[in-house]
Amino acid sequence: MSHDLPPQPLTATAGLALQGSLRPPGDKSISHRAMILGLLSIGETRVEGLLEGDDVLRTAAAAEALGATVERLGEGRWRIVGVGLGGLTDPADVLDFGNAGTGSRLMMGVVGGQPVTATFDGDASLRKRPMRRILDPLVRMGTEVVSEREGGRVPLTLRGPREAIPITYETPVASAQIKSAVLLAGLNAPGITTVIEAAATRDHTERMLRLFGAHVEVTAHGPEGHGRTIALTGQPTLRGTDVVVPADPSSAAFPLVAALIVPGSEVVIEGVMMNPLRTGLITTLLEMGADIERLRERDEGGESVADLRVRASRLTGVDVPPERAPAMIDEYPILAVAAAFAEGTTRMNGLHELRVKESDRLAAVADGLSANGIAYVIEGDDLVVHGDGSPPKGGGTVATHLDHRIAMAFLVLGLATREPVTVDDGAMIATSFPSFLPTMQALGGRIAS
């Protein structure tokens, strides 16, 4: 697995225009949830286009350890036979989630609402990430935290109740992971479990719960309607179903920005999810002047998808509002790269959540920009990048801190800087985009070890 391998430095060098088409890997958020709801359902779930990165494979292994039958049928094709609500069994060993923050936190919600006991652990990066924000509502629902490291960090052991207690919970920060953990625990609660969020976060859990047969009501919340109230009726009979996983917009972001900043490029990115709660980066890039055209808009797996034609563009700095953060929280590193090529100042507001991702992403992005001669300042939780419309110098080595998105973002930077850019480790890219290197090389990108 990526976190067990020795570091694998990679270097990106500017070259010819990027040309061609690609389909990014399946969406990671959908892939995690398909595995989890397959586990909790009665009958068979078949998944097409599953992301086979390390993060999702860890969730698959955890589902199997909790009692599901999990079988790989072919590339991206998986079969899960679930055990239904209340049918989970205690795993024989620790659930090792590697680098998977989403998988571990969602599965804590599952275990926290079911009469099972399980221990969660992960790699060095995951062990640094705070879990208290997940544990607090679960404890209110009847979950016992048997053991934990300081601050609610893994390794930790949870024991779920016979039946969870339905609660109304207002999330302290905009987080789809908190919301999803509470809803997944609420599946085994007699009554209505309600989550109130001040700013709407990605709604894949709500959509997929409905697909598997749960009753979920979503209403606008707050004076301007930016928030959501999500009410789940507990103890439904979930039925296995077929899931088609659309291409991950967070993975598509890397070849998309590469095509914008490498002169003369034209790339088509196929089957990208267009859920409006996931397209904040595209909205921002369009405001910056990006040439991005939607083609063949359609529905797949309960989600809107489209092909994107992307052409090299002259970008202009913009002000990114904080309320957009939940729709693009994983895309700020690659947006900072785009901003480095833009004319003028790009201000990204309200990035406090970046400090608790796989790394302190705000600090990691800032260090990477500094190493490559790019002007920036951090003002509180805002990142401000200054560009002059020409390629930055580059030439730096970037510390990735075991963060796949930092690695990919700065390799994209190196495809258009005046000097090559090196990342200290690209091994963990496999957690979300296993084919990143050959995909970018096939388009004409010069990335090598």
Side-chain angles (χ1 to χ4, degrees):
M1 298 301 178
S2 63
H3 58 286
D4 297 325
L5 295 172
Q8 298 178 14
L10 294 170
T11 299
T13 305
L16 300 176
L18 304 180
Q19 302 286 338
S21 62
L22 71 144
R23 183 181 176 98
D27 182 75
K28 187 162 68 163
S29 296
I30 300 290
S31 296
H32 280 304
R33 288 160 174 80
M35 278 290 171
I36 288 170
L37 289 175
L39 160 71
L40 295 174
S41 297
I42 295 171
E44 180 179 276
T45 293
R46 287 184 177 258
V47 184
E48 298 280 344
L50 186 93
L51 169 64
E52 294 180 335
D54 186 52
D55 281 14
V56 174
L57 297 182
R58 299 285 182 157
T59 296
E64 191 168 37
L66 289 163
T69 299
V70 180
E71 180 183 3
R72 185 179 189 269
L73 304 177
E75 185 174 349
R77 297 172 50 243
W78 289 70
R79 172 178 176 266
I80 306 106
V81 180
V83 295
L85 296 176
L88 276 63
T89 56
D90 289 358
D93 205 348
V94 172
L95 302 179
D96 182 355
F97 279 89
N99 192 244
T102 298
S104 59
R105 287 170 170 153
L106 267 56
M107 199 64 85
M108 285 177 192
V110 171
V111 169
Q114 305 282 324
V116 292
T117 301
T119 298
F120 295 75
D121 203 357
D123 68 6
S125 173
L126 193 68
R127 285 187 171 198
K128 295 177 182 177
R129 299 181 68 179
M131 300 294 176
R132 175 53 55 194
R133 58 176 59 177
I134 301 293
L135 300 180
D136 287 346
L138 294 182
V139 168
R140 286 181 51 189
M141 300 180 79
T143 308
E144 179 185 354
V145 182
V146 178
S147 65
E148 60 183 298
R149 285 181 63 233
E150 183 180 358
R153 290 173 168 81
V154 299
L156 61 82
T157 300
L158 301 182
R159 179 179 294 126
R162 186 177 64 84
E163 287 185 331
I165 301 166
I167 64 171
T168 295
Y169 188 72
E170 189 162 353
T171 57
V173 295
S175 169
Q177 294 176 355
I178 299 174
K179 171 180 66 177
S180 299
V182 173
L183 294 175
L184 289 169
L187 283 170
N188 199 36
I192 307 295
T193 295
T194 303
V195 178
I196 300 169
E197 48 183 12
T201 63
R202 56 182 65 178
D203 61 352
H204 307 310
T205 299
E206 299 94 301
R207 289 171 180 259
M208 195 165 288
L209 281 167
R210 292 192 190 104
L211 185 65
F212 279 80
H215 181 71
V216 183
E217 290 187 0
V218 180
T219 55
H221 172 78
E224 297 182 13
H226 292 309
R228 295 288 186 274
T229 297
I230 304 100
L232 166 73
T233 302
Q235 300 183 332
T237 299
L238 302 180
R239 300 286 184 186
T241 189
D242 293 340
V243 179
V244 178
V245 181
D248 191 335
S250 297
S251 295
F254 300 102
L256 191 158
V257 169
L260 291 175
I261 64 175
V262 176
S265 297
E266 180 173 335
V267 171
V268 174
I269 308 173
E270 300 173 350
V272 181
M273 182 196 299
M274 290 287 106
N275 183 313
L277 295 173
R278 292 290 299 281
T279 55
L281 175 68
I282 293 174
T283 298
T284 301
L285 291 171
L286 289 170
E287 291 173 354
M288 297 173 76
D291 185 349
I292 304 171
E293 183 182 0
R294 294 191 186 192
L295 309 172
R296 297 182 59 234
E297 296 192 54
R298 57 203 186 274
D299 288 332
E300 287 182 6
E303 297 280 357
S304 173
V305 303
D307 300 342
L308 302 177
R309 177 182 289 129
V310 187
R311 297 183 178 92
S313 306
R314 290 192 61 82
L315 304 176
T316 303
V318 296
D319 204 50
V320 187
E323 57 267 22
R324 195 173 292 169
M328 56 182 297
I329 195 63
D330 287 330
E331 285 78 72
Y332 282 107
I334 193 62
L335 176 59
V337 168
F341 290 82
E343 176 77 39
T345 297
T346 299
R347 176 181 287 272
M348 292 160 259
N349 296 281
L351 306 189
H352 54 276
E353 278 299 292
L354 286 193
R355 297 190 184 277
V356 292
K357 300 297 284 183
E358 282 83 338
S359 62
D360 180 342
R361 274 195 185 147
L362 186 52
V365 169
D367 289 346
L369 296 174
S370 178
N372 289 284
I374 297 162
Y376 76 94
V377 293
I378 293 177
E379 298 177 351
D381 289 325
D382 300 345
L383 175 62
V384 184
V385 179
H386 303 288
D388 62 9
S390 62
K393 179 177 180 292
T397 296
V398 177
T400 57
H401 304 285
L402 295 176
D403 191 321
H404 51 124
R405 301 199 194 280
I406 296 296
M408 288 186 281
F410 283 97
L411 288 171
V412 168
L413 176 77
L415 295 177
T417 47
R418 300 195 303 273
E419 298 178 16
V421 173
T422 297
V423 300
D424 66 353
D425 188 7
M428 85 300 294
I429 289 172
T431 64
S432 66
F433 201 156
S435 62
F436 173 76
L437 194 57
T439 294
M440 297 307 296
Q441 290 168 336
L443 296 174
R446 296 171 63 188
I447 303 176
S449 55

